[in-house]
Amino acid sequence: MDRGVNMVSVNAGLLMGPDLTIKNPYLKGAAEMYEDGVFVTVDLDFLVEAHICVYEQISTYGRYLCFNHIINQTEDAVKLANILSPLPSSPQSMESDTRIIQERISNKKLNKLMVECQPQINGKSRGMLMKVST
């Protein structure tokens, strides 16, 4: 900042999308992130929208955590595992686990920016993809 340069980074969760294929997902540390409440995913559309907002807002600086889904329930973890590597059936030990891991990650800074941003494409205001599900 002392040199007049605003460094901005958008740190995304595990990228997800209907047209994305992941043959060998890099998930080293996923179990630990899940247990620590910081395992998150982001839809491609949401990530694109975030990059546009960060680019268009001249006052942005620093790090923006970008995600719109927190994996903090066993059910969510099993669904994600099936998307990445479909199995014939879920492990029995996981089906009975109903605990919810406390989330320890926040994207409030990015959400605030995206609410203020409301970027324009082709003269039309796009609907914000602010669906944060837990």
Side-chain angles (χ1 to χ4, degrees):
M1 292 185 101
D2 59 336
R3 296 186 180 175
V5 176
N6 289 341
M7 179 66 183
V8 178
S9 66
V10 176
N11 299 21
L14 179 63
L15 185 60
M16 303 298 289
D19 296 329
L20 296 176
T21 58
I22 304 173
K23 291 184 180 189
N24 296 310
Y26 181 74
L27 294 174
K28 184 176 183 178
E32 292 83 4
M33 289 188 293
Y34 173 72
E35 290 292 327
D36 292 339
V38 295
F39 190 35
V40 295
T41 64
V42 62
D43 293 323
L44 180 60
D45 293 336
F46 188 84
L47 182 60
V48 168
E49 185 120 355
H51 274 88
I52 291 169
C53 288
V54 166
Y55 175 77
E56 288 182 348
Q57 293 291 328
I58 197 160
S59 62
T60 58
Y61 66 92
R63 183 178 3 184
Y64 292 85
L65 301 179
C66 184
F67 61 90
N68 60 343
H69 188 77
I70 299 171
I71 308 297
N72 64 346
Q73 295 179 359
T74 303
E75 179 183 335
D76 294 335
V78 170
K79 283 181 189 176
L80 180 62
N82 286 333
I83 290 169
L84 298 177
S85 178
L87 298 172
S89 64
S90 299
Q92 293 292 334
S93 62
M94 296 189 87
E95 290 177 353
S96 62
D97 189 359
T98 59
R99 66 188 168 127
I100 298 175
I101 307 289
Q102 180 181 353
E103 58 190 72
R104 296 187 180 166
I105 190 167
S106 173
N107 61 352
K108 289 179 186 176
K109 183 178 176 183
L110 179 64
N111 284 343
K112 181 180 177 194
L113 175 72
M114 290 180 75
V115 167
E116 295 170 357
C117 177
Q118 299 181 6
Q120 300 280 324
I121 289 186
N122 297 329
K124 296 180 183 176
S125 179
R126 293 178 295 152
M128 301 311 296
L129 299 171
M130 297 304 293
K131 57 176 184 183
V132 177
S133 53
T134 56

